[in-house]
Amino acid sequence: MSERRPDPMPLRTRDTLTILAGTVMWVIALAVVLLVVKPAGPRPVWVCVAGIGLGLFGLVYVRRRDARLSESVPAADVGESEPRRP
C-alpha cells in the first residue's frame, strides 16, 4: 500500500461577491414581480423577499466567518495553495 498524500489546502473563494450577486438578482426579481407581472396573490412577492433576506443573512454569516478565519490563520499562510516543502 502506498502512503496517503496530504489533503490539499482549501481554495480561497470570493463568497461575498457570489452571495451579493444572488441577492441583487432577487431584488431585480422582486421589482419585476411588482412592476411587470402584477401577481394575483402574495406568494411571488414573499418568495423574492425571502431570497433577499436569506442573501443578507448569508452576507453577514460569510463576513463573520472570514473575519474569524483571518484572525486564526497567520499572515504568512494566507493565499498559499500548497504547503512549502524543504
Side-chain angles (χ1 to χ4, degrees):
M1 249 199 230
S2 64
E3 186 176 324
R4 182 176 183 266
R5 292 188 292 173
D7 294 335
M9 296 295 291
L11 294 175
R12 302 281 300 170
T13 58
R14 295 170 41 166
D15 298 326
T16 302
L17 184 61
T18 304
I19 295 170
L20 186 59
T23 305
V24 167
M25 285 190 253
W26 278 115
V27 170
I28 292 169
L30 179 62
V32 167
V33 165
L34 291 175
L35 300 174
V36 178
V37 176
K38 306 281 190 206
R43 181 173 281 166
V45 173
W46 285 112
V47 169
C48 294
V49 170
I52 294 167
L54 288 171
L56 295 174
F57 172 77
L59 282 174
V60 170
Y61 181 84
V62 167
R63 291 181 64 94
R64 290 173 111 190
R65 180 199 65 188
D66 290 345
R68 277 195 316 268
L69 287 175
S70 67
E71 291 172 358
S72 66
V73 176
D77 292 342
V78 174
E80 290 185 5
S81 59
E82 291 188 27
R84 293 183 183 177
R85 295 188 178 127

